[in-house]
Amino acid sequence: ALSLVLGYDVFCVGASRTDAGVHSRAQAVHFDVPAELAALRPADWQQRWERDINKRLPMDIRVQNVCDAPPDFNAVVSAVGKMYSY
């Protein structure tokens, strides 16, 4: 979905994976955006990206928030905890 919206091959890194039968909420994901694309984003880019990405995802998978992160942010190593619900 990201690649379709952004127009380039996007490599996403998720904070974690879930086991069969386990559901995830508030899963953090990070991906890099080329500087040229970041410079061209309109003022409402976050709402647009959320809307356009969600249009292409199954209804049980939703993007709730898109934001810039510090350059050293990593969804795997920056996670401070996990909760599991079976």
Side-chain angles (χ1 to χ4, degrees):
L2 273 172
S3 296
L4 291 172
V5 170
L6 301 182
Y8 69 97
D9 288 335
V10 178
F11 177 74
C12 294
V13 177
S16 183
R17 65 177 188 83
T18 60
D19 296 328
V22 179
H23 302 283
S24 174
R25 285 193 179 170
Q27 174 78 287
V29 174
H30 82 262
F31 58 94
D32 294 325
V33 176
E36 317 77 68
L37 179 59
L40 297 174
R41 296 181 300 193
D44 64 343
W45 68 272
Q46 292 161 304
Q47 293 82 13
R48 287 184 186 202
W49 285 15
E50 289 169 22
R51 180 196 63 220
D52 294 346
I53 294 165
N54 281 328
K55 282 184 193 176
R56 291 163 174 84
L57 291 172
M59 290 304 293
D60 60 340
I61 300 174
R62 300 281 91 193
V63 171
Q64 296 178 338
N65 185 32
V66 176
C67 63
D68 285 324
D72 62 341
F73 178 81
N74 181 298
V76 176
V77 242
S78 299
V80 293
K82 299 176 191 176
M83 279 181 66
Y84 293 93
S85 176
Y86 294 85

